[in-house]
């Protein structure tokens, strides 16, 4: 009922929710495009902004390596999918037990085999950072995981992206974070507030990437509607 009402009033629905199944149900019921603004499974709009930022920053994109450090969460899932589609390399380093979903990795690897992307998943931070053009991290406890903060702080000790770890990446490597950030936890102040940080460029690009998504889906939906009417 929610989807059928909303489709009468607007050209697209952006849903930001905990359960990914809620977005899938909306999409099945709606005649207008439904966009995943964030779910516990994936964060595709963020990944679009992130890869726009990488493309703006690196002249040799997509021939770069992105290192992701931290929780194998929704953001990590969408970054893996974007890396696979773009053909660039991506290495993920998580504490044991916090790896990205195996199904997501399997699907991304299948795409990577077609595009030439190289995706690696592991627990060794040094190996993931070696040769990385960009280093990405996210909060250790996402929305809905507040009760796990103390345990996660212990489990993620040693995975903070700081100056020492950034030195393991490629010279001139840049730093990314989807924000909001917790300085002193997943990232040091000396990294996120340094000139190497791209976090505010990412923030601006969320606007531009989302405008592009809306334009593509709404215009495409209108064209399809016109063809159906004809």
């Amino acid at each position: 009922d929610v989807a059928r009402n909303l489709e009468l009033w607007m050209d697209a629905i952006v849903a930001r929710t905990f359960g990914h199944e809620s977005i899938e149900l909306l999409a099945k019921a709606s005649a207008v495009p439904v966009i995943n603004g964030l779910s516990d499974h994936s964060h595709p709009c963020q990944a679009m902004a992130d890869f726009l930022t990488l493309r703006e920053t690196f002249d040799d994109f997509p021939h770069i390596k992105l290192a992701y450090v931290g929780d194998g969460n929704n953001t990590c899932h969408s970054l893996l999918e974007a890396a696979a589609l773009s053909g660039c390399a991506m290495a993920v380093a998580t504490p044991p037990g916090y790896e990205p979903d195996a199904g997501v990795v399997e699907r991304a690897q299948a795409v990577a085999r077609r595009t030439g992307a190289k995706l690696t998943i592991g627990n060794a931070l040094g190996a993931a950072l070696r040769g990385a053009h960009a280093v990405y991290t996210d909060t250790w406890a996402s929305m809905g995981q507040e009760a796990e903060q103390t345990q996660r702080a212990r489990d993620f000790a040693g995975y903070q992206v700081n100056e020492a770890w950034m030195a393991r990446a490629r010279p001139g490597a840049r730093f990314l974070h989807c924000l909001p950030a917790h300085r002193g936890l997943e990232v040091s102040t000396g990294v996120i507030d340094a000139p190497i940080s791209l976090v505010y460029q990412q923030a601006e690009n969320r606007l531009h990437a989302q405008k592009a998504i809306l334009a593509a889906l709404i215009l495409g939906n209108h064209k399809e509607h016109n063809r159906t009417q004809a």
Side-chain angles (χ1 to χ4, degrees):
D1 289 343
V2 171
R4 295 301 298 273
N5 275 269
L6 290 175
E7 72 183 29
L8 299 172
W9 306 328
M10 53 198 69
D11 295 308
I13 301 168
V14 180
R16 188 177 177 94
T17 183
F18 286 107
H20 188 74
E21 63 276 4
S22 297
I23 296 175
E24 293 179 332
L25 287 171
L26 273 175
K28 289 179 181 178
S30 173
V32 300
V34 173
I35 299 166
N36 179 0
L38 177 145
S39 73
D40 58 1
H41 179 269
S42 57
H43 200 353
C45 288
Q46 180 65 50
M48 292 284 285
D50 297 336
F51 272 74
L52 173 58
T53 303
L54 292 172
R55 185 171 181 177
E56 290 175 339
T57 303
F58 296 102
D59 292 335
D60 54 348
F61 180 87
H63 305 293
I64 65 167
K65 177 183 177 181
L66 172 65
Y68 178 91
V69 178
D71 189 18
N73 59 12
N74 50 2
T75 299
C76 178
H77 291 166
S78 290
L79 289 171
L80 280 168
E81 292 168 343
L85 287 166
S86 71
C88 77
M90 179 174 170
V92 175
T94 73
Y98 291 94
E99 294 85 359
D101 178 78
V104 172
V105 174
E106 183 179 353
R107 290 190 295 273
Q109 292 285 19
V111 174
R113 286 191 286 272
R114 298 198 301 269
T115 64
K118 183 179 180 181
L119 309 179
T120 58
I121 312 296
N123 306 120
L125 186 48
L129 293 174
R130 191 177 303 117
H133 296 73
V135 180
Y136 196 121
T137 194
D138 192 6
T139 180
W140 290 343
S142 300
M143 291 186 299
Q145 298 172 334
E146 289 79 7
E148 303 174 24
Q149 284 182 344
T150 302
Q151 181 62 50
R152 283 173 171 262
R154 288 195 292 264
D155 293 344
F156 283 81
Y159 283 81
Q160 181 192 85
V161 178
N162 52 36
E163 293 89 329
W165 279 120
M166 285 297 298
R168 301 286 192 97
R170 190 183 182 93
R174 310 303 294 272
F175 173 76
L176 295 94
H177 192 302
C178 56
L179 301 182
H182 302 81
R183 288 163 174 79
L185 290 179
E186 72 268 13
V187 61
S188 68
T189 299
V191 169
I192 192 171
D193 295 325
I196 63 170
S197 177
L198 298 175
V199 297
Y200 299 119
Q201 186 174 340
Q202 291 173 263
E204 178 185 352
N205 280 339
R206 284 198 290 270
L207 171 65
H208 305 315
Q210 272 56 274
K211 288 190 296 184
I213 292 168
L214 285 169
L217 291 177
I218 291 172
L219 291 175
N221 195 52
H222 284 173
K223 290 178 181 178
E224 182 63 31
H225 175 75
N226 292 336
R227 282 197 295 268
T228 302
Q229 294 298 313

